[in-house]
Amino acid sequence: LSAGYYDAYYNIKTIIRAHIDRAVSEEWPAMAKGELHMGLRQPALLDAVQRLLAVQPQGFGQQQAVQHSLAAIESAMSARRERIMLSEAGRVDLAKWLALFALAAGLQATIAMVHVDRPRAKQVALAIFTAAAMLCFVVIGLYDRPFHNGVPPTALLKIHPG
């Protein structure tokens, strides 16, 4: 294998290490605060792509290594985009929460009025609806701001080239 290929490999390994360190220390907290947006570029991965494209593979093995490396970097870029979209779309604002609570309260009042002459049926219907509504609130709350409640960057740390 050529010396140029080895130099590019070690440079890319350093770039990937820096990318993961930045993602864990800067991007993850920014996603938790809702401050990371798609418009912000990731220069480390783009630099890695440029370095790989500059390599002149010497033989089939190096060609395959470069192609697989480019595919892995594209996969990393795609995963980053997905994380950012999830952090942006995962927020339920106050107006939506208030509308959901108002809807639940209105439905409870309606159930109580429909079953006004049957107290036992009213209790059962209200208990079932309240349990279902609370389950919905819990599920929506769990998915509200997924990076805010301590979703750790474990997968990134597992692939960190130490």
Side-chain angles (χ1 to χ4, degrees), residues 45-158:
L45 292 179
L46 296 175
D47 186 32
V49 169
Q50 289 174 347
R51 288 176 188 261
L52 274 172
L53 292 175
V55 170
Q56 297 297 321
Q58 311 256 328
F60 181 74
Q62 285 186 10
Q63 280 181 327
Q64 291 296 311
V66 169
Q67 288 175 355
H68 288 292
S69 298
L70 286 170
I73 291 172
E74 176 56 37
S75 177
M77 288 178 167
S78 177
R80 181 178 180 268
R81 283 190 296 269
E82 288 176 19
R83 285 192 308 270
I84 293 172
M85 288 189 313
L86 181 62
S87 75
E88 289 177 343
R91 290 181 229 123
V92 181
D93 62 354
L94 181 61
K96 291 176 186 174
W97 278 113
L98 291 175
L100 192 58
F101 281 116
L103 182 62
L107 284 172
Q108 281 190 320
T110 303
I111 290 170
M113 284 187 266
V114 166
H115 296 292
V116 73
D117 56 342
R118 295 174 292 175
R120 183 75 177 142
K122 178 172 64 173
Q123 289 173 344
V124 170
L126 284 174
I128 291 171
F129 175 78
T130 302
M134 294 314 293
L135 180 64
C136 290
F137 290 140
V138 167
V139 169
I140 292 170
L142 288 174
Y143 285 94
D144 182 28
R145 292 189 256 169
F147 293 93
H148 181 71
N149 295 323
V151 173
T154 334
L156 285 176
L157 295 172
K158 283 182 182 177

Side-chain angles (χ1 to χ4, degrees), residues 13-36:
K13 191 174 178 180
T14 303
I15 290 169
I16 297 300
R17 186 180 302 119
H19 165 71
I20 292 173
D21 289 340
R22 182 173 181 263
V24 170
S25 65
E26 295 175 22
E27 290 184 357
W28 218 269
M31 285 187 286
K33 295 175 187 172
E35 297 172 351
L36 189 65

